[in-house]
Amino acid sequence: VDLSTSIAGVHLPNLLFNASGVCCQTTDDLKQMQDSASGSLITKSATCAQREGNPSPRYVPLPTGSINSMGLPNEGYQYYLDYAKSYDYSSPKPLFISLSGLSLAENKTMCEAFVAAKLPCVLEINFSCPNVPGKPQLGYDMEAMEAALNTLAPILRQPFGIKLPPYFDIAHFDAAAAIFNKFDDLAYVTCINSVGNGLAIDFETETALIKPKDGFGGLGGFMVLNTALANVNAFHRRLPTKKVIGVGGVTSGKEVFLHVLAGASAVQIGTTLKEEGPAVFARILKELEEIMEKKGYTSLEDFRGKVKTL
Ligand SMILES: C=Cc1c(C(=O)O)[nH]c(=O)[nH]c1=O
């Protein structure tokens, strides 16, 4: 079976890679991704300056997923620019770079620096970090999101992507898609980032599980699968000239299959990668192949976006 795919002008030998934030902050993390069976890799969202992030505990696995309030810890964008400059682009795995400036000015600075370097990596702007105290998510402010795209698209002038928060209202899918369809270079959207500001509480100690923000943090893992599938399918239906990367709730080949059925061109793994390690890619690729063989599919195109309705 053929599990390859293409997005933003790059070819992925298979559709799986890491969710930004997991196994991708340092060059050691990224080497693990390079050595894994993934089809690609994306870096931890970068800010202009290096950041320690929030106090720990700031990530906790839960029975049905995870909660995190990392607070955008990263090595600063020059670190990832250096990595992108030294990346071996003859590798079968294309490189994606995630940028999450704390302001439009920061995103502008980082985009200008990457564009000036003229590298074949794909740039993705994160509009959806839920864990920086005092910073609302750009993805929930339609005017600010359009203004950001009006500033950044003319700088990028190459296929790029954006990382979106989950939306929960059809009117928001409609409004967001209307904005995205104005930008031809916006090649794809990645849905979803964590479900913002959940609260995990320990029953015995009656205490929040993570330290930052009174225990409020982004939810991920199996519990967000159905919200992720809805966002993938909503934007697949509304963005006919763009692609969707699906992320959220993948624990096995079955959820990857569902993401592709919903319309995903590639699928990322976050919580399950964090808990299982990079061996997860080989396991899940094998599970997906078995599912496709059982169902009689030989390529992702055979079923991408073909979820039926009643
Ligand atoms: C970039 C910051 C993010 C973070 C974080 O660093 O806290 N956690 C998420 O679940 N999603 C993000 O986008």
Side-chain angles (χ1 to χ4, degrees), residues 169-224:
D169 189 306
I170 301 300
H172 295 164
F173 291 136
D174 292 340
I179 293 169
F180 303 153
N181 279 320
K182 294 177 181 175
F183 297 92
D184 294 345
D185 284 339
L186 179 59
Y188 73 90
V189 297
T190 301
C191 302
I192 59 173
N193 208 316
S194 52
V195 173
N197 295 297
L199 176 60
I201 302 170
D202 181 283
F203 178 75
E204 298 307 324
T205 66
E206 304 171 11
T207 308
L209 289 181
I210 58 173
K211 185 175 175 74
K213 293 175 54 179
D214 296 329
F216 284 64
L219 303 176
F222 191 69
M223 74 171 94
V224 308

Side-chain angles (χ1 to χ4, degrees), residues 44-45 68-73 100 126 128-131 193-194 218:
K44 168 68 184 175
S45 293
N68 92 82
S69 186
M70 306 302 287
L72 243 182
S100 187
N126 184 352
S128 47
C129 179
N131 300 323
N193 208 316
S194 52

Side-chain angles (χ1 to χ4, degrees), residues 71-287:
L72 243 182
N74 74 96
E75 308 303 320
Y77 83 101
Q78 268 104 350
Y79 180 97
Y80 303 105
L81 181 55
D82 291 345
Y83 179 81
K85 284 176 178 171
S86 64
Y87 189 78
D88 172 11
Y89 292 98
S90 70
S91 143
K93 298 189 186 186
L95 173 64
F96 289 71
I97 297 287
S98 176
L99 302 173
S100 187
L102 298 177
S103 65
L104 181 51
E106 275 208 20
N107 274 325
K108 194 166 173 291
T109 298
M110 295 190 289
C111 286
E112 284 164 350
F114 271 91
V115 168
K118 292 187 176 24
L119 299 165
C121 52
V122 178
L123 300 182
E124 177 178 292
I125 317 299
N126 184 352
F127 281 165
S128 47
C129 179
N131 300 323
V132 179
K135 299 293 290 180
Q137 293 200 51
L138 206 60
Y140 288 153
D141 180 338
M142 298 295 170
E143 286 72 31
M145 197 161 47
E146 182 163 8
L149 287 168
N150 275 322
T151 297
L152 299 177
I155 293 169
L156 293 168
R157 297 168 49 76
Q158 65 191 42
F160 70 98
I162 55 177
K163 178 73 170 282
L164 295 175
Y167 297 98
F168 302 93
D169 189 306
I170 301 300
H172 295 164
F173 291 136
D174 292 340
I179 293 169
F180 303 153
N181 279 320
K182 294 177 181 175
F183 297 92
D184 294 345
D185 284 339
L186 179 59
Y188 73 90
V189 297
T190 301
C191 302
I192 59 173
N193 208 316
S194 52
V195 173
N197 295 297
L199 176 60
I201 302 170
D202 181 283
F203 178 75
E204 298 307 324
T205 66
E206 304 171 11
T207 308
L209 289 181
I210 58 173
K211 185 175 175 74
K213 293 175 54 179
D214 296 329
F216 284 64
L219 303 176
F222 191 69
M223 74 171 94
V224 308
L225 173 68
N226 297 105
T227 291
L229 294 177
N231 278 260
V232 167
N233 191 240
F235 285 112
H236 175 72
R237 290 175 184 277
R238 288 170 174 78
L239 305 175
T241 64
K242 305 179 190 303
K243 297 194 173 178
V244 180
I245 297 181
V247 50
V250 174
T251 68
S252 73
K254 183 179 174 191
E255 294 82 34
V256 175
F257 179 83
L258 294 173
H259 266 280
V260 174
L261 205 58
S265 287
V267 177
Q268 297 174 344
I269 306 175
T271 299
T272 307
L273 170 58
K274 175 83 177 177
E275 292 307 306
E276 187 171 326
V280 69
F281 293 109
R283 170 176 71 85
I284 289 186
L285 283 170
K286 185 169 169 294
E287 291 169 352

